Amino acid sequence: MAAGAIAGVLIFPQYPLNYLALWLALTLIQITLVTLILGIANILTPLSLLLGSFASIIILLSLTILYRERFQRSIRSVGSSYTALNSKGRMVTLTLLSTLVISCVGFLSHLYAQVTLVHPLSWDVVTYHLPNAVGYLQSKGLWKLTTPFSHYPGGNELLNLWSLVPLRQDNSLGLTTLSLNLGVLLNALLLLRDTHTWRYSFSLALSFFLFLGVYFSFGEMQLLLFDIGRNDITLGYWVLLGFWTWLRFTQTETSFYRKFWLFWSGVSFGCALGVKPNGVYPILGLFLLILIQEIATYIKNHNRFALLKHLIDTGLIWLLPIALISGFWYLRNYQLLGTVFERQNLEIGTQMALVWHLTNPNLYTAPRGAIFLLSLLTTAILIACLLKGKIKSKSMRYLFYLNIISFCAWLLTPYSAGYYAGEVSYFHPQLRHAVSYIVTLSILIVYGIRYLFLDALHHFRPQVIEGIDYILNSLHHSHNLSFQQSFRIAIVSLGLSFSLLVAQTLNYQPPKGLPGYSRILFYPHSVTYESGVYEWIQENVRNKRILNINLRSYGLFNFPFSNEVIEGSLPTSELSNPRSSEGYDYIALALDPFTATLSEDLKAFLQNPKGYRVVYADPFALVLAKE
């Protein structure tokens, strides 16, 4: 990722943010498409991934160099190009950045520990996301459904799988999650930059520092930095990239370059829909906005040919990439399951969508209920401002649209109002489903603070504004960023990234057991005993087939993923039939994590486990080996 991003800076030094964003996106798209194609063909091996990656990198770099001039024209910044900070400006910026780092040293040290220790925090990650990735890796394809949620689109699992492949362990997972989080912040910076005409890059930097303060004031956005392997940050990254590239499409006048940005917006949203089904909501919202704008233009100009041409362009250049990139997962489900998505899981999740509980007072008294209420009121204010024509800036209106679309997508997202723990539902608005909304809301808050501050100075202390302008002017050169400056930035960044990866690979030690899940139960607050079932499996069971009932699958694979783990989703009464279990070398089971009990069928089987003997037991878990 670092190499691809830095290559963009080296080849096109004048607009480093644009190239950094697109090269990071191209790297992730390359990983996604190469892994997807090899998985469809059932040749998903480390060697094929390596060869496919090298081939795609060579093709990508060759096309970039061959069409350098056209690519550079299409990707340049809106308005005036960047001006470089002079020595004084660099010193001031470095001082501010150092102050920010020092003030967050505790947070950053915990983040570094999480990235290097690779400790998955999420119940869903160790139950579904990582087991799905390991299942694809073991089967060398994407056609085997190994968990109850394997029917979910696997765009996030492709990135997780890529991180697992080289050494068949999870040493790089933390770096992948960190890269996606940094990609979200980079997309936010680009949206912040391109929705306003900035006279000085230093004022943009100050505004971005303010954005970071607002964004990370939402605790769940901090948690996403640590939440290794989760698909929410992956979805947020692709949606925000799709928003930014679509915004660039609206700001570009030349037909060819408009199509360039519209195409990459479609590719981004295709990757988003390939991560989670609720990626369809921002796509529908943006498509509706495009359709309304085209109809409004037709009513004004009465040009049917132009309307038809624009709709065809939208279909071929924007919607077609979305369908091609995300379509495999849904077609696979239809072939294997007879439906594009399991209706039962969809219905259960939809029942906990925010949109169905807007009149429920329990929603607003729940944790983060106040945040949702404020978001609801803010969205109503934004809609009122748009309807009354209060927003004159075209780019700012688009930012309002993107924020409203993101909020509506959050309302419709399954489980956005809370979650189920067994049969019990809990209201708890899930901000992790609203990454794009929180980003666009934070940008709007930054603009609001900036407007109020400058407006107050303009009315009460206009001479202060002149002083600020003089100071900012003294911090900048009048010319663009030079190649030498970009080169130095690129070499330092690449060296730091490569050193971190090498150090992580050489020093990483896989954990013993499954840290954080040894208490077995979903809510283990009152439980002090910790089960050793995961440690026992890892120490004693290799290259075996394990039936898992109620445990977290990821703790049973045993690095380098030598065990095959099958979820105990079949009726447990069938376990009493030797034929149904004769293919399992071990049966690993635990108490139900939500009720702390065993089902009656499972109790009956354990009273007479024909063909199996108990080899490990504790108050929470058992392991039975085939006799």
PDB file of all heavy atoms in Angstrom, residues 318-339:
ATOM      1  N   TRP A 318     -21.148   4.326 -14.209  1.00  0.00           N
ATOM      2  CA  TRP A 318     -21.275   4.328 -12.745  1.00  0.00           C
ATOM      3  C   TRP A 318     -21.922   3.043 -12.232  1.00  0.00           C
ATOM      4  O   TRP A 318     -21.361   2.361 -11.374  1.00  0.00           O
ATOM      5  CB  TRP A 318     -22.094   5.543 -12.313  1.00  0.00           C
ATOM      6  CG  TRP A 318     -22.026   5.833 -10.839  1.00  0.00           C
ATOM      7  CD1 TRP A 318     -20.920   6.204 -10.115  1.00  0.00           C
ATOM      8  CD2 TRP A 318     -23.114   5.786  -9.909  1.00  0.00           C
ATOM      9  NE1 TRP A 318     -21.253   6.387  -8.799  1.00  0.00           N
ATOM     10  CE2 TRP A 318     -22.601   6.148  -8.640  1.00  0.00           C
ATOM     11  CE3 TRP A 318     -24.466   5.492 -10.016  1.00  0.00           C
ATOM     12  CZ2 TRP A 318     -23.390   6.214  -7.494  1.00  0.00           C
ATOM     13  CZ3 TRP A 318     -25.267   5.559  -8.875  1.00  0.00           C
ATOM     14  CH2 TRP A 318     -24.726   5.912  -7.643  1.00  0.00           C
ATOM     15  N   LEU A 319     -23.086   2.689 -12.754  1.00  0.00           N
ATOM     16  CA  LEU A 319     -23.815   1.530 -12.229  1.00  0.00           C
ATOM     17  C   LEU A 319     -23.190   0.202 -12.664  1.00  0.00           C
ATOM     18  O   LEU A 319     -23.200  -0.766 -11.894  1.00  0.00           O
ATOM     19  CB  LEU A 319     -25.278   1.584 -12.675  1.00  0.00           C
ATOM     20  CG  LEU A 319     -26.116   2.719 -12.086  1.00  0.00           C
ATOM     21  CD1 LEU A 319     -27.518   2.697 -12.679  1.00  0.00           C
ATOM     22  CD2 LEU A 319     -26.185   2.613 -10.565  1.00  0.00           C
ATOM     23  N   LEU A 320     -22.665   0.128 -13.886  1.00  0.00           N
ATOM     24  CA  LEU A 320     -22.104  -1.129 -14.366  1.00  0.00           C
ATOM     25  C   LEU A 320     -20.907  -1.591 -13.525  1.00  0.00           C
ATOM     26  O   LEU A 320     -20.846  -2.770 -13.145  1.00  0.00           O
ATOM     27  CB  LEU A 320     -21.714  -1.007 -15.834  1.00  0.00           C
ATOM     28  CG  LEU A 320     -21.233  -2.303 -16.513  1.00  0.00           C
ATOM     29  CD1 LEU A 320     -22.317  -3.367 -16.460  1.00  0.00           C
ATOM     30  CD2 LEU A 320     -20.830  -2.033 -17.967  1.00  0.00           C
ATOM     31  N   PRO A 321     -19.925  -0.726 -13.194  1.00  0.00           N
ATOM     32  CA  PRO A 321     -18.843  -1.175 -12.304  1.00  0.00           C
ATOM     33  C   PRO A 321     -19.354  -1.644 -10.944  1.00  0.00           C
ATOM     34  O   PRO A 321     -18.817  -2.598 -10.360  1.00  0.00           O
ATOM     35  CB  PRO A 321     -17.960   0.071 -12.169  1.00  0.00           C
ATOM     36  CG  PRO A 321     -18.227   0.866 -13.385  1.00  0.00           C
ATOM     37  CD  PRO A 321     -19.672   0.634 -13.707  1.00  0.00           C
ATOM     38  N   ILE A 322     -20.395  -0.979 -10.440  1.00  0.00           N
ATOM     39  CA  ILE A 322     -20.969  -1.405  -9.156  1.00  0.00           C
ATOM     40  C   ILE A 322     -21.476  -2.838  -9.253  1.00  0.00           C
ATOM     41  O   ILE A 322     -21.196  -3.688  -8.390  1.00  0.00           O
ATOM     42  CB  ILE A 322     -22.112  -0.456  -8.745  1.00  0.00           C
ATOM     43  CG1 ILE A 322     -21.573   0.943  -8.437  1.00  0.00           C
ATOM     44  CG2 ILE A 322     -22.858  -1.012  -7.527  1.00  0.00           C
ATOM     45  CD1 ILE A 322     -22.659   1.969  -8.152  1.00  0.00           C
ATOM     46  N   ALA A 323     -22.212  -3.131 -10.339  1.00  0.00           N
ATOM     47  CA  ALA A 323     -22.783  -4.464 -10.513  1.00  0.00           C
ATOM     48  C   ALA A 323     -21.702  -5.516 -10.750  1.00  0.00           C
ATOM     49  O   ALA A 323     -21.764  -6.618 -10.185  1.00  0.00           O
ATOM     50  CB  ALA A 323     -23.774  -4.454 -11.669  1.00  0.00           C
ATOM     51  N   LEU A 324     -20.688  -5.190 -11.556  1.00  0.00           N
ATOM     52  CA  LEU A 324     -19.656  -6.169 -11.889  1.00  0.00           C
ATOM     53  C   LEU A 324     -18.796  -6.531 -10.674  1.00  0.00           C
ATOM     54  O   LEU A 324     -18.437  -7.699 -10.483  1.00  0.00           O
ATOM     55  CB  LEU A 324     -18.770  -5.631 -13.015  1.00  0.00           C
ATOM     56  CG  LEU A 324     -19.433  -5.526 -14.400  1.00  0.00           C
ATOM     57  CD1 LEU A 324     -18.475  -4.900 -15.400  1.00  0.00           C
ATOM     58  CD2 LEU A 324     -19.899  -6.896 -14.882  1.00  0.00           C
ATOM     59  N   ILE A 325     -18.452  -5.545  -9.855  1.00  0.00           N
ATOM     60  CA  ILE A 325     -17.551  -5.797  -8.729  1.00  0.00           C
ATOM     61  C   ILE A 325     -18.273  -6.490  -7.579  1.00  0.00           C
ATOM     62  O   ILE A 325     -17.728  -7.398  -6.947  1.00  0.00           O
ATOM     63  CB  ILE A 325     -16.909  -4.476  -8.259  1.00  0.00           C
ATOM     64  CG1 ILE A 325     -15.981  -3.929  -9.346  1.00  0.00           C
ATOM     65  CG2 ILE A 325     -16.130  -4.676  -6.955  1.00  0.00           C
ATOM     66  CD1 ILE A 325     -15.396  -2.576  -9.031  1.00  0.00           C
ATOM     67  N   SER A 326     -19.502  -6.090  -7.302  1.00  0.00           N
ATOM     68  CA  SER A 326     -20.212  -6.648  -6.143  1.00  0.00           C
ATOM     69  C   SER A 326     -21.098  -7.837  -6.493  1.00  0.00           C
ATOM     70  O   SER A 326     -21.526  -8.575  -5.599  1.00  0.00           O
ATOM     71  CB  SER A 326     -21.079  -5.565  -5.498  1.00  0.00           C
ATOM     72  OG  SER A 326     -22.090  -5.129  -6.405  1.00  0.00           O
ATOM     73  N   GLY A 327     -21.357  -8.029  -7.783  1.00  0.00           N
ATOM     74  CA  GLY A 327     -22.369  -9.010  -8.168  1.00  0.00           C
ATOM     75  C   GLY A 327     -22.038 -10.447  -7.837  1.00  0.00           C
ATOM     76  O   GLY A 327     -22.945 -11.259  -7.591  1.00  0.00           O
ATOM     77  N   PHE A 328     -20.741 -10.807  -7.808  1.00  0.00           N
ATOM     78  CA  PHE A 328     -20.384 -12.209  -7.594  1.00  0.00           C
ATOM     79  C   PHE A 328     -20.978 -12.758  -6.309  1.00  0.00           C
ATOM     80  O   PHE A 328     -21.513 -13.883  -6.293  1.00  0.00           O
ATOM     81  CB  PHE A 328     -18.860 -12.380  -7.559  1.00  0.00           C
ATOM     82  CG  PHE A 328     -18.434 -13.681  -6.925  1.00  0.00           C
ATOM     83  CD1 PHE A 328     -18.585 -14.876  -7.609  1.00  0.00           C
ATOM     84  CD2 PHE A 328     -17.926 -13.711  -5.630  1.00  0.00           C
ATOM     85  CE1 PHE A 328     -18.222 -16.079  -7.018  1.00  0.00           C
ATOM     86  CE2 PHE A 328     -17.556 -14.911  -5.039  1.00  0.00           C
ATOM     87  CZ  PHE A 328     -17.702 -16.099  -5.730  1.00  0.00           C
ATOM     88  N   TRP A 329     -20.871 -11.997  -5.223  1.00  0.00           N
ATOM     89  CA  TRP A 329     -21.289 -12.523  -3.913  1.00  0.00           C
ATOM     90  C   TRP A 329     -22.762 -12.887  -3.902  1.00  0.00           C
ATOM     91  O   TRP A 329     -23.154 -13.908  -3.318  1.00  0.00           O
ATOM     92  CB  TRP A 329     -21.004 -11.490  -2.827  1.00  0.00           C
ATOM     93  CG  TRP A 329     -19.572 -11.064  -2.800  1.00  0.00           C
ATOM     94  CD1 TRP A 329     -19.046  -9.899  -3.246  1.00  0.00           C
ATOM     95  CD2 TRP A 329     -18.465 -11.841  -2.320  1.00  0.00           C
ATOM     96  NE1 TRP A 329     -17.689  -9.886  -3.066  1.00  0.00           N
ATOM     97  CE2 TRP A 329     -17.308 -11.070  -2.501  1.00  0.00           C
ATOM     98  CE3 TRP A 329     -18.338 -13.107  -1.749  1.00  0.00           C
ATOM     99  CZ2 TRP A 329     -16.039 -11.520  -2.145  1.00  0.00           C
ATOM    100  CZ3 TRP A 329     -17.091 -13.558  -1.385  1.00  0.00           C
ATOM    101  CH2 TRP A 329     -15.960 -12.765  -1.584  1.00  0.00           C
ATOM    102  N   TYR A 330     -23.579 -12.095  -4.557  1.00  0.00           N
ATOM    103  CA  TYR A 330     -25.017 -12.326  -4.562  1.00  0.00           C
ATOM    104  C   TYR A 330     -25.391 -13.437  -5.552  1.00  0.00           C
ATOM    105  O   TYR A 330     -26.303 -14.236  -5.280  1.00  0.00           O
ATOM    106  CB  TYR A 330     -25.738 -11.015  -4.887  1.00  0.00           C
ATOM    107  CG  TYR A 330     -25.364  -9.921  -3.905  1.00  0.00           C
ATOM    108  CD1 TYR A 330     -24.355  -9.002  -4.189  1.00  0.00           C
ATOM    109  CD2 TYR A 330     -25.997  -9.837  -2.667  1.00  0.00           C
ATOM    110  CE1 TYR A 330     -23.989  -8.014  -3.280  1.00  0.00           C
ATOM    111  CE2 TYR A 330     -25.640  -8.858  -1.747  1.00  0.00           C
ATOM    112  CZ  TYR A 330     -24.629  -7.953  -2.058  1.00  0.00           C
ATOM    113  OH  TYR A 330     -24.268  -6.998  -1.149  1.00  0.00           O
ATOM    114  N   LEU A 331     -24.670 -13.513  -6.682  1.00  0.00           N
ATOM    115  CA  LEU A 331     -24.896 -14.617  -7.612  1.00  0.00           C
ATOM    116  C   LEU A 331     -24.443 -15.943  -6.997  1.00  0.00           C
ATOM    117  O   LEU A 331     -25.088 -16.983  -7.194  1.00  0.00           O
ATOM    118  CB  LEU A 331     -24.137 -14.364  -8.917  1.00  0.00           C
ATOM    119  CG  LEU A 331     -24.644 -13.183  -9.759  1.00  0.00           C
ATOM    120  CD1 LEU A 331     -23.739 -12.970 -10.964  1.00  0.00           C
ATOM    121  CD2 LEU A 331     -26.086 -13.416 -10.206  1.00  0.00           C
ATOM    122  N   ARG A 332     -23.339 -15.921  -6.241  1.00  0.00           N
ATOM    123  CA  ARG A 332     -22.882 -17.131  -5.558  1.00  0.00           C
ATOM    124  C   ARG A 332     -23.932 -17.615  -4.571  1.00  0.00           C
ATOM    125  O   ARG A 332     -24.246 -18.820  -4.492  1.00  0.00           O
ATOM    126  CB  ARG A 332     -21.573 -16.841  -4.809  1.00  0.00           C
ATOM    127  CG  ARG A 332     -21.035 -18.029  -4.031  1.00  0.00           C
ATOM    128  CD  ARG A 332     -20.074 -17.606  -2.934  1.00  0.00           C
ATOM    129  NE  ARG A 332     -20.730 -16.823  -1.898  1.00  0.00           N
ATOM    130  CZ  ARG A 332     -20.127 -16.442  -0.769  1.00  0.00           C
ATOM    131  NH1 ARG A 332     -18.855 -16.730  -0.569  1.00  0.00           N
ATOM    132  NH2 ARG A 332     -20.788 -15.739   0.136  1.00  0.00           N
ATOM    133  N   ASN A 333     -24.493 -16.697  -3.788  1.00  0.00           N
ATOM    134  CA  ASN A 333     -25.525 -17.073  -2.829  1.00  0.00           C
ATOM    135  C   ASN A 333     -26.729 -17.678  -3.531  1.00  0.00           C
ATOM    136  O   ASN A 333     -27.324 -18.657  -3.048  1.00  0.00           O
ATOM    137  CB  ASN A 333     -25.954 -15.850  -2.014  1.00  0.00           C
ATOM    138  CG  ASN A 333     -24.903 -15.405  -1.019  1.00  0.00           C
ATOM    139  OD1 ASN A 333     -23.949 -16.139  -0.751  1.00  0.00           O
ATOM    140  ND2 ASN A 333     -25.060 -14.215  -0.490  1.00  0.00           N
ATOM    141  N   TYR A 334     -27.083 -17.094  -4.677  1.00  0.00           N
ATOM    142  CA  TYR A 334     -28.253 -17.618  -5.398  1.00  0.00           C
ATOM    143  C   TYR A 334     -27.997 -19.034  -5.888  1.00  0.00           C
ATOM    144  O   TYR A 334     -28.898 -19.888  -5.841  1.00  0.00           O
ATOM    145  CB  TYR A 334     -28.580 -16.702  -6.582  1.00  0.00           C
ATOM    146  CG  TYR A 334     -29.850 -17.091  -7.290  1.00  0.00           C
ATOM    147  CD1 TYR A 334     -31.093 -16.750  -6.763  1.00  0.00           C
ATOM    148  CD2 TYR A 334     -29.805 -17.804  -8.481  1.00  0.00           C
ATOM    149  CE1 TYR A 334     -32.263 -17.114  -7.414  1.00  0.00           C
ATOM    150  CE2 TYR A 334     -30.967 -18.168  -9.136  1.00  0.00           C
ATOM    151  CZ  TYR A 334     -32.196 -17.820  -8.596  1.00  0.00           C
ATOM    152  OH  TYR A 334     -33.359 -18.187  -9.230  1.00  0.00           O
ATOM    153  N   GLN A 335     -26.758 -19.304  -6.309  1.00  0.00           N
ATOM    154  CA  GLN A 335     -26.440 -20.639  -6.796  1.00  0.00           C
ATOM    155  C   GLN A 335     -26.380 -21.650  -5.647  1.00  0.00           C
ATOM    156  O   GLN A 335     -26.871 -22.777  -5.779  1.00  0.00           O
ATOM    157  CB  GLN A 335     -25.099 -20.632  -7.528  1.00  0.00           C
ATOM    158  CG  GLN A 335     -24.681 -22.017  -8.037  1.00  0.00           C
ATOM    159  CD  GLN A 335     -23.423 -21.968  -8.869  1.00  0.00           C
ATOM    160  OE1 GLN A 335     -23.023 -20.907  -9.345  1.00  0.00           O
ATOM    161  NE2 GLN A 335     -22.778 -23.110  -9.051  1.00  0.00           N
ATOM    162  N   LEU A 336     -25.796 -21.247  -4.510  1.00  0.00           N
ATOM    163  CA  LEU A 336     -25.617 -22.174  -3.392  1.00  0.00           C
ATOM    164  C   LEU A 336     -26.832 -22.261  -2.480  1.00  0.00           C
ATOM    165  O   LEU A 336     -27.121 -23.324  -1.924  1.00  0.00           O
ATOM    166  CB  LEU A 336     -24.395 -21.763  -2.570  1.00  0.00           C
ATOM    167  CG  LEU A 336     -23.040 -21.779  -3.285  1.00  0.00           C
ATOM    168  CD1 LEU A 336     -21.929 -21.338  -2.339  1.00  0.00           C
ATOM    169  CD2 LEU A 336     -22.731 -23.168  -3.837  1.00  0.00           C
ATOM    170  N   LEU A 337     -27.539 -21.136  -2.305  1.00  0.00           N
ATOM    171  CA  LEU A 337     -28.627 -21.082  -1.332  1.00  0.00           C
ATOM    172  C   LEU A 337     -29.999 -20.894  -1.961  1.00  0.00           C
ATOM    173  O   LEU A 337     -31.010 -21.019  -1.275  1.00  0.00           O
ATOM    174  CB  LEU A 337     -28.382 -19.935  -0.329  1.00  0.00           C
ATOM    175  CG  LEU A 337     -27.046 -19.962   0.421  1.00  0.00           C
ATOM    176  CD1 LEU A 337     -26.889 -18.681   1.229  1.00  0.00           C
ATOM    177  CD2 LEU A 337     -26.952 -21.181   1.320  1.00  0.00           C
ATOM    178  N   GLY A 338     -30.022 -20.553  -3.253  1.00  0.00           N
ATOM    179  CA  GLY A 338     -31.296 -20.305  -3.902  1.00  0.00           C
ATOM    180  C   GLY A 338     -31.851 -18.920  -3.654  1.00  0.00           C
ATOM    181  O   GLY A 338     -32.990 -18.621  -4.033  1.00  0.00           O
ATOM    182  N   THR A 339     -31.089 -18.041  -3.011  1.00  0.00           N
ATOM    183  CA  THR A 339     -31.497 -16.667  -2.733  1.00  0.00           C
ATOM    184  C   THR A 339     -30.251 -15.797  -2.684  1.00  0.00           C
ATOM    185  O   THR A 339     -29.160 -16.283  -2.361  1.00  0.00           O
ATOM    186  CB  THR A 339     -32.273 -16.571  -1.404  1.00  0.00           C
ATOM    187  OG1 THR A 339     -32.641 -15.207  -1.157  1.00  0.00           O
ATOM    188  CG2 THR A 339     -31.437 -17.077  -0.251  1.00  0.00           C
TER     189      THR A 339
END
